[in-house]
Amino acid sequence: MDPICLEYKGKTGDVKRYATTIDTKQILIEKGARREGTQKVQVIMTQTITDVSPDGIFTVQVVIDSGKVMSEGKSLPLPNAGQKIMMKMKKSGVILSCDPPTDFSQPSFPEGPKNVKERWTSESKVNVQGRPDPITLSYRYILWDLIKVNAYSCAEIKVSCPETATEIQPGVTQKISATGTTLFEYNQGFLVKSEVETKTIVEAPEHDVHVETRIGVRVEVV
C-alpha cells in the first residue's frame, strides 16, 4: 500500500457544507447528592475557499447558516446564526488566523507522506478556568487504515489523548482525556467526518465535590 499525503486541497470558489453536533453531559456529585444535565447543539455551516496563495495558504470564509441549542427539554435558535468567520489555513490544516477570533478548529496533519499504521503526536494548549496559565495536552495519532466511505477514498485516523492531571487550584485537580476518529478524503483533500469525545473530571476532595463532563463533537460533510 503506497504512502499518502494528508493535506487539504481545493481552489478558489470551492464550497463545502458541514453539520456539527455537540453533545454535552455533566454529572455533579456534591456531598453525596447527584445532579445530571445534558445539552445538544446542532450547527450547519458553509466553508468557501475565497483565495489560494502561491505558497498554498487558503483563505476560507465560514458562515454559520443555522443551528439550535437543546437543553432541559427546550430548543432555542443558535445565537450566532448568520455569523461570518474569515480564516487563513495552511495545507496541513493549521489555522494561522481567524477573524473574529474564535475557537473554530479542524483536524491538522503533519507534512510529508504517511504509511498505514504510522504514528505521530501533536501538542495543544488549553485554557482552564481558575488557572492563569494554559495546560498542554499531548495528542497521539495513528493512520489506522485506508477505506471507502460513500465513494470517498478516506484515511481513517485514530486519535487519543492520554489522561492528563493538573492541579488548577490548591486542593482541586482536573483530569482530561479524549478519544476519536477522523475520516479524511486524501485524494480530494477535505474532511469527511470527525468524531471526538473529551472527558473531564474535576475533583475537590476537601469539599466532597466531583464533576464529570463528557463532550462529544461530531462534524460531517453534507
Side-chain angles (χ1 to χ4, degrees):
M1 200 175 288
D2 293 333
I4 62 167
C5 285
L6 298 168
E7 60 181 31
Y8 289 84
K9 300 174 184 176
K11 62 184 184 302
T12 301
D14 283 356
V15 177
K16 290 282 187 297
R17 296 189 81 218
Y18 287 93
T20 300
T21 303
I22 304 170
D23 282 299
T24 303
K25 180 177 181 180
Q26 188 172 78
I27 300 171
L28 168 64
I29 302 174
E30 185 173 10
K31 301 187 187 305
R34 179 186 176 106
R35 286 183 288 169
E36 294 188 16
T38 60
Q39 183 187 75
K40 181 189 290 286
V41 179
Q42 294 178 323
V43 183
I44 300 292
M45 64 179 68
T46 301
Q47 297 184 19
T48 304
I49 298 175
T50 61
D51 185 58
V52 183
S53 70
D55 55 351
I57 302 299
F58 295 96
T59 301
V60 182
Q61 176 183 267
V62 180
V63 179
I64 309 298
D65 297 323
S66 62
K68 57 184 177 180
V69 180
M70 291 158 281
S71 179
E72 299 178 354
K74 298 179 181 179
S75 179
L76 298 171
L78 197 69
N80 61 338
Q83 182 183 15
K84 293 183 180 180
I85 302 164
M86 297 300 298
M87 69 177 189
K88 290 190 180 294
M89 181 185 80
K90 296 172 68 173
K91 290 188 293 183
S92 63
V94 172
I95 294 176
L96 301 173
S97 65
C98 233
D99 183 25
T102 177
D103 290 334
F104 182 86
S105 65
Q106 56 189 27
S108 59
F109 310 108
E111 296 179 0
K114 291 286 175 283
N115 290 290
V116 171
K117 298 299 187 281
E118 191 166 343
R119 300 170 184 268
W120 64 93
T121 61
S122 72
E123 293 187 344
S124 175
K125 292 189 180 296
V126 177
N127 292 312
V128 176
Q129 187 175 2
R131 181 184 168 94
D133 301 318
I135 64 171
T136 300
L137 301 179
S138 178
Y139 283 85
R140 300 174 180 176
Y141 302 85
I142 178 171
L143 175 50
W144 187 254
D145 203 358
L146 302 181
I147 60 176
K148 282 283 188 180
V149 179
N150 299 329
Y152 296 135
S153 298
C154 290
E156 181 183 18
I157 301 159
K158 303 285 189 182
V159 55
S160 63
C161 174
E163 186 173 85
T164 303
T166 308
E167 186 177 61
I168 55 176
Q169 294 177 20
V172 181
T173 302
Q174 177 174 273
K175 300 174 183 175
I176 300 178
S177 59
T179 58
T181 302
T182 295
L183 297 178
F184 186 79
E185 219 299 353
Y186 56 89
N187 286 327
Q188 300 178 54
F190 69 91
L191 177 67
V192 173
K193 188 177 183 179
S194 171
E195 290 184 290
V196 178
E197 182 179 86
T198 302
K199 178 182 176 182
T200 304
I201 296 175
V202 177
E203 295 178 311
E206 291 183 7
H207 301 285
D208 198 12
V209 173
H210 174 101
V211 183
E212 180 175 323
T213 307
R214 292 178 182 265
I215 301 176
V217 179
R218 185 175 74 251
V219 181
E220 191 167 11
V221 70
V222 294

